[in-house]
Amino acid sequence: EPEVTQTPSHQVTQMGQEVILRCVPISNHLYFYWYRQILGQKVEFLVSFYNNEISEKSEIFDDQFSVERPDGSNFTLKIRSTKLEDSAMYFCASAGTGNEKLFFGSGTQLSVL
Amino acid sequence: GESVGLHLPTLSVQEGDNSIINCAYSNSASDYFIWYKQESGKGPQFIIDIRSNMDKRQGQRVTVLLNKTVKHLSLQIAATQPGDSAVYFCAERTYSSASKIIFGSGTRLSIRP
């Protein structure tokens, strides 16, 4: 069964450093998403992406965040200058033509020290 | 507003019994609802969805009920099994923000042998 893959599974970084989280969505999907989940809390929407542009973003997704689909297979989330409060599990998701049934990856656990 | 929440944070059921997980939502403009299952260390997994023009939908061992009058959503799991142990999230989407699925707070379901 096709799946969304995310790398790395764990990322440790120093506060103020830039990080790039990588995702390979399901190959024929058109809609891409990033969510995050702080330990023990709910899954929070960050951004959705379609047709090479951001469709929607949340208040969390400020100027420190950016997304990119650099080629036909990868979807990345960049945090320019990480803060302690950016520590969370980051999930990538993709959806097909219906933009409804989201398939999630296993996440990247980001720890900012 | 965009508020999707759950009545109970934890639910413990006997193996073989039916489980009912409840969810309240506040946005009357929401037109699509989804239940996700999240096992430890994994991303959310789609279980079942329902549109606002329906009040019941059944899947394999799962049923979702939607009561728009009181803005209430429930997930029923028949003959609960140990593999059903997970955190369950309800999520919603509004027609005006079709690419933004918002998650509720989650209910942890544990199964007693």
Side-chain angles (χ1 to χ4, degrees), chain B residues 72-99:
Chain B
H72 185 267
L73 190 70
S74 69
L75 176 71
Q76 300 178 4
I77 305 173
T80 312
Q81 303 168 357
D84 295 328
S85 293
V87 176
Y88 290 82
F89 293 94
C90 64
E92 66 172 339
R93 186 196 71 181
T94 62
Y95 178 78
S96 60
S97 294
S99 60

mmCIF file of all heavy atoms in Angstrom, chain B residues 72-99:
data_model
loop_
_atom_site.group_PDB
_atom_site.id
_atom_site.type_symbol
_atom_site.label_atom_id
_atom_site.label_comp_id
_atom_site.label_asym_id
_atom_site.label_seq_id
_atom_site.Cartn_x
_atom_site.Cartn_y
_atom_site.Cartn_z
ATOM 1 N N HIS B 72 -22.868 17.398 17.416
ATOM 2 C CA HIS B 72 -22.265 16.268 18.100
ATOM 3 C C HIS B 72 -21.948 15.156 17.101
ATOM 4 O O HIS B 72 -22.743 14.862 16.199
ATOM 5 C CB HIS B 72 -23.222 15.762 19.177
ATOM 6 C CG HIS B 72 -22.658 14.671 20.015
ATOM 7 N ND1 HIS B 72 -22.852 13.337 19.727
ATOM 8 C CD2 HIS B 72 -21.884 14.706 21.127
ATOM 9 C CE1 HIS B 72 -22.241 12.611 20.627
ATOM 10 N NE2 HIS B 72 -21.650 13.406 21.497
ATOM 11 N N LEU B 73 -20.797 14.568 17.316
ATOM 12 C CA LEU B 73 -20.289 13.497 16.448
ATOM 13 C C LEU B 73 -19.881 12.343 17.357
ATOM 14 O O LEU B 73 -19.312 12.582 18.429
ATOM 15 C CB LEU B 73 -19.072 14.033 15.700
ATOM 16 C CG LEU B 73 -18.449 13.274 14.559
ATOM 17 C CD1 LEU B 73 -19.361 13.271 13.353
ATOM 18 C CD2 LEU B 73 -17.115 13.930 14.185
ATOM 19 N N SER B 74 -20.165 11.114 16.954
ATOM 20 C CA SER B 74 -19.698 9.984 17.752
ATOM 21 C C SER B 74 -19.139 8.895 16.849
ATOM 22 O O SER B 74 -19.506 8.779 15.677
ATOM 23 C CB SER B 74 -20.823 9.420 18.618
ATOM 24 O OG SER B 74 -21.799 8.795 17.821
ATOM 25 N N LEU B 75 -18.229 8.139 17.440
ATOM 26 C CA LEU B 75 -17.633 6.984 16.769
ATOM 27 C C LEU B 75 -17.963 5.764 17.605
ATOM 28 O O LEU B 75 -17.651 5.730 18.793
ATOM 29 C CB LEU B 75 -16.115 7.148 16.646
ATOM 30 C CG LEU B 75 -15.380 5.955 16.046
ATOM 31 C CD1 LEU B 75 -15.691 5.829 14.562
ATOM 32 C CD2 LEU B 75 -13.864 6.079 16.265
ATOM 33 N N GLN B 76 -18.589 4.799 16.992
ATOM 34 C CA GLN B 76 -18.908 3.553 17.673
ATOM 35 C C GLN B 76 -18.042 2.452 17.085
ATOM 36 O O GLN B 76 -17.992 2.277 15.873
ATOM 37 C CB GLN B 76 -20.392 3.213 17.503
ATOM 38 C CG GLN B 76 -21.314 4.283 18.065
ATOM 39 C CD GLN B 76 -22.779 3.968 17.857
ATOM 40 O OE1 GLN B 76 -23.134 2.903 17.352
ATOM 41 N NE2 GLN B 76 -23.638 4.885 18.256
ATOM 42 N N ILE B 77 -17.370 1.727 17.975
ATOM 43 C CA ILE B 77 -16.539 0.600 17.573
ATOM 44 C C ILE B 77 -17.180 -0.659 18.143
ATOM 45 O O ILE B 77 -17.351 -0.780 19.363
ATOM 46 C CB ILE B 77 -15.098 0.740 18.086
ATOM 47 C CG1 ILE B 77 -14.493 2.068 17.626
ATOM 48 C CG2 ILE B 77 -14.240 -0.439 17.619
ATOM 49 C CD1 ILE B 77 -13.119 2.357 18.228
ATOM 50 N N ALA B 78 -17.551 -1.565 17.267
ATOM 51 C CA ALA B 78 -18.203 -2.804 17.715
ATOM 52 C C ALA B 78 -17.151 -3.841 18.110
ATOM 53 O O ALA B 78 -16.091 -3.929 17.509
ATOM 54 C CB ALA B 78 -19.081 -3.349 16.603
ATOM 55 N N ALA B 79 -17.493 -4.617 19.147
ATOM 56 C CA ALA B 79 -16.635 -5.732 19.572
ATOM 57 C C ALA B 79 -15.176 -5.300 19.672
ATOM 58 O O ALA B 79 -14.297 -5.792 18.957
ATOM 59 C CB ALA B 79 -16.791 -6.904 18.605
ATOM 60 N N THR B 80 -14.927 -4.367 20.581
ATOM 61 C CA THR B 80 -13.601 -3.765 20.708
ATOM 62 C C THR B 80 -12.520 -4.809 20.939
ATOM 63 O O THR B 80 -12.683 -5.735 21.738
ATOM 64 C CB THR B 80 -13.609 -2.746 21.862
ATOM 65 O OG1 THR B 80 -14.740 -1.901 21.725
ATOM 66 C CG2 THR B 80 -12.364 -1.902 21.838
ATOM 67 N N GLN B 81 -11.413 -4.632 20.225
ATOM 68 C CA GLN B 81 -10.292 -5.568 20.281
ATOM 69 C C GLN B 81 -9.059 -4.861 20.840
ATOM 70 O O GLN B 81 -8.983 -3.635 20.815
ATOM 71 C CB GLN B 81 -9.988 -6.074 18.868
ATOM 72 C CG GLN B 81 -11.155 -6.740 18.171
ATOM 73 C CD GLN B 81 -10.901 -6.967 16.690
ATOM 74 O OE1 GLN B 81 -9.853 -6.573 16.163
ATOM 75 N NE2 GLN B 81 -11.842 -7.590 16.022
ATOM 76 N N PRO B 82 -8.078 -5.614 21.312
ATOM 77 C CA PRO B 82 -6.852 -4.979 21.827
ATOM 78 C C PRO B 82 -6.196 -4.040 20.820
ATOM 79 O O PRO B 82 -5.633 -3.009 21.194
ATOM 80 C CB PRO B 82 -5.955 -6.183 22.143
ATOM 81 C CG PRO B 82 -6.911 -7.287 22.455
ATOM 82 C CD PRO B 82 -8.082 -7.071 21.544
ATOM 83 N N GLY B 83 -6.287 -4.380 19.542
ATOM 84 C CA GLY B 83 -5.694 -3.530 18.509
ATOM 85 C C GLY B 83 -6.388 -2.196 18.330
ATOM 86 O O GLY B 83 -5.895 -1.330 17.615
ATOM 87 N N ASP B 84 -7.526 -2.025 18.979
ATOM 88 C CA ASP B 84 -8.232 -0.750 18.913
ATOM 89 C C ASP B 84 -7.675 0.260 19.898
ATOM 90 O O ASP B 84 -8.062 1.434 19.881
ATOM 91 C CB ASP B 84 -9.730 -0.946 19.182
ATOM 92 C CG ASP B 84 -10.419 -1.785 18.122
ATOM 93 O OD1 ASP B 84 -9.996 -1.711 16.945
ATOM 94 O OD2 ASP B 84 -11.358 -2.536 18.467
ATOM 95 N N SER B 85 -6.776 -0.166 20.770
ATOM 96 C CA SER B 85 -6.166 0.753 21.733
ATOM 97 C C SER B 85 -5.383 1.832 20.995
ATOM 98 O O SER B 85 -4.477 1.524 20.223
ATOM 99 C CB SER B 85 -5.212 -0.005 22.666
ATOM 100 O OG SER B 85 -5.916 -0.883 23.504
ATOM 101 N N ALA B 86 -5.761 3.074 21.226
ATOM 102 C CA ALA B 86 -5.138 4.193 20.509
ATOM 103 C C ALA B 86 -5.768 5.483 21.020
ATOM 104 O O ALA B 86 -6.669 5.451 21.858
ATOM 105 C CB ALA B 86 -5.373 4.065 19.001
ATOM 106 N N VAL B 87 -5.305 6.588 20.496
ATOM 107 C CA VAL B 87 -5.981 7.870 20.701
ATOM 108 C C VAL B 87 -6.821 8.137 19.466
ATOM 109 O O VAL B 87 -6.347 7.973 18.336
ATOM 110 C CB VAL B 87 -4.981 9.008 20.930
ATOM 111 C CG1 VAL B 87 -5.708 10.343 21.052
ATOM 112 C CG2 VAL B 87 -4.148 8.744 22.176
ATOM 113 N N TYR B 88 -8.052 8.516 19.681
ATOM 114 C CA TYR B 88 -8.983 8.790 18.593
ATOM 115 C C TYR B 88 -9.279 10.286 18.538
ATOM 116 O O TYR B 88 -9.613 10.909 19.546
ATOM 117 C CB TYR B 88 -10.268 7.990 18.780
ATOM 118 C CG TYR B 88 -10.052 6.521 18.554
ATOM 119 C CD1 TYR B 88 -9.531 5.715 19.562
ATOM 120 C CD2 TYR B 88 -10.326 5.934 17.320
ATOM 121 C CE1 TYR B 88 -9.291 4.367 19.361
ATOM 122 C CE2 TYR B 88 -10.098 4.581 17.111
ATOM 123 C CZ TYR B 88 -9.575 3.814 18.128
ATOM 124 O OH TYR B 88 -9.339 2.476 17.908
ATOM 125 N N PHE B 89 -9.136 10.837 17.339
ATOM 126 C CA PHE B 89 -9.392 12.254 17.114
ATOM 127 C C PHE B 89 -10.564 12.426 16.159
ATOM 128 O O PHE B 89 -10.615 11.756 15.128
ATOM 129 C CB PHE B 89 -8.178 12.938 16.469
ATOM 130 C CG PHE B 89 -6.964 13.021 17.331
ATOM 131 C CD1 PHE B 89 -5.976 12.048 17.253
ATOM 132 C CD2 PHE B 89 -6.782 14.079 18.212
ATOM 133 C CE1 PHE B 89 -4.838 12.130 18.033
ATOM 134 C CE2 PHE B 89 -5.645 14.163 18.997
ATOM 135 C CZ PHE B 89 -4.676 13.184 18.909
ATOM 136 N N CYS B 90 -11.460 13.335 16.489
ATOM 137 C CA CYS B 90 -12.396 13.787 15.482
ATOM 138 C C CYS B 90 -11.792 15.021 14.810
ATOM 139 O O CYS B 90 -10.966 15.714 15.398
ATOM 140 C CB CYS B 90 -13.761 14.103 16.071
ATOM 141 S SG CYS B 90 -13.781 15.460 17.256
ATOM 142 N N ALA B 91 -12.164 15.249 13.585
ATOM 143 C CA ALA B 91 -11.647 16.392 12.841
ATOM 144 C C ALA B 91 -12.772 16.939 11.963
ATOM 145 O O ALA B 91 -13.710 16.223 11.618
ATOM 146 C CB ALA B 91 -10.450 15.989 11.991
ATOM 147 N N GLU B 92 -12.666 18.205 11.623
ATOM 148 C CA GLU B 92 -13.709 18.841 10.835
ATOM 149 C C GLU B 92 -13.112 19.725 9.760
ATOM 150 O O GLU B 92 -11.959 20.151 9.844
ATOM 151 C CB GLU B 92 -14.615 19.697 11.722
ATOM 152 C CG GLU B 92 -13.901 20.887 12.328
ATOM 153 C CD GLU B 92 -14.835 21.839 13.053
ATOM 154 O OE1 GLU B 92 -16.043 21.828 12.786
ATOM 155 O OE2 GLU B 92 -14.346 22.613 13.878
ATOM 156 N N ARG B 93 -13.951 20.007 8.795
ATOM 157 C CA ARG B 93 -13.563 20.912 7.724
ATOM 158 C C ARG B 93 -14.785 21.740 7.345
ATOM 159 O O ARG B 93 -15.911 21.249 7.383
ATOM 160 C CB ARG B 93 -13.102 20.109 6.503
ATOM 161 C CG ARG B 93 -12.540 20.944 5.361
ATOM 162 C CD ARG B 93 -12.486 20.151 4.093
ATOM 163 N NE ARG B 93 -13.819 19.900 3.555
ATOM 164 C CZ ARG B 93 -14.044 19.211 2.458
ATOM 165 N NH1 ARG B 93 -13.041 18.680 1.795
ATOM 166 N NH2 ARG B 93 -15.266 19.023 2.019
ATOM 167 N N THR B 94 -14.556 22.990 6.995
ATOM 168 C CA THR B 94 -15.650 23.826 6.515
ATOM 169 C C THR B 94 -15.522 24.011 5.007
ATOM 170 O O THR B 94 -14.421 23.955 4.451
ATOM 171 C CB THR B 94 -15.653 25.211 7.184
ATOM 172 O OG1 THR B 94 -14.428 25.878 6.838
ATOM 173 C CG2 THR B 94 -15.734 25.080 8.691
ATOM 174 N N TYR B 95 -16.634 24.244 4.362
ATOM 175 C CA TYR B 95 -16.634 24.417 2.907
ATOM 176 C C TYR B 95 -15.758 25.604 2.500
ATOM 177 O O TYR B 95 -15.041 25.552 1.503
ATOM 178 C CB TYR B 95 -18.063 24.624 2.417
ATOM 179 C CG TYR B 95 -18.141 24.851 0.926
ATOM 180 C CD1 TYR B 95 -18.034 23.784 0.052
ATOM 181 C CD2 TYR B 95 -18.297 26.134 0.406
ATOM 182 C CE1 TYR B 95 -18.093 23.981 -1.312
ATOM 183 C CE2 TYR B 95 -18.354 26.334 -0.956
ATOM 184 C CZ TYR B 95 -18.258 25.255 -1.815
ATOM 185 O OH TYR B 95 -18.311 25.455 -3.167
ATOM 186 N N SER B 96 -15.752 26.655 3.315
ATOM 187 C CA SER B 96 -14.994 27.861 2.959
ATOM 188 C C SER B 96 -13.491 27.684 3.155
ATOM 189 O O SER B 96 -12.698 28.456 2.625
ATOM 190 C CB SER B 96 -15.480 29.057 3.781
ATOM 191 O OG SER B 96 -15.300 28.799 5.160
ATOM 192 N N SER B 97 -13.097 26.690 3.931
ATOM 193 C CA SER B 97 -11.674 26.391 4.154
ATOM 194 C C SER B 97 -11.451 24.926 3.836
ATOM 195 O O SER B 97 -11.087 24.129 4.697
ATOM 196 C CB SER B 97 -11.271 26.679 5.597
ATOM 197 O OG SER B 97 -11.352 28.048 5.882
ATOM 198 N N ALA B 98 -11.681 24.594 2.582
ATOM 199 C CA ALA B 98 -11.742 23.190 2.190
ATOM 200 C C ALA B 98 -10.417 22.454 2.338
ATOM 201 O O ALA B 98 -10.398 21.234 2.385
ATOM 202 C CB ALA B 98 -12.237 23.085 0.757
ATOM 203 N N SER B 99 -9.303 23.186 2.399
ATOM 204 C CA SER B 99 -8.016 22.501 2.527
ATOM 205 C C SER B 99 -7.450 22.606 3.937
ATOM 206 O O SER B 99 -6.255 22.511 4.146
ATOM 207 C CB SER B 99 -7.024 23.066 1.522
ATOM 208 O OG SER B 99 -6.831 24.437 1.750
#
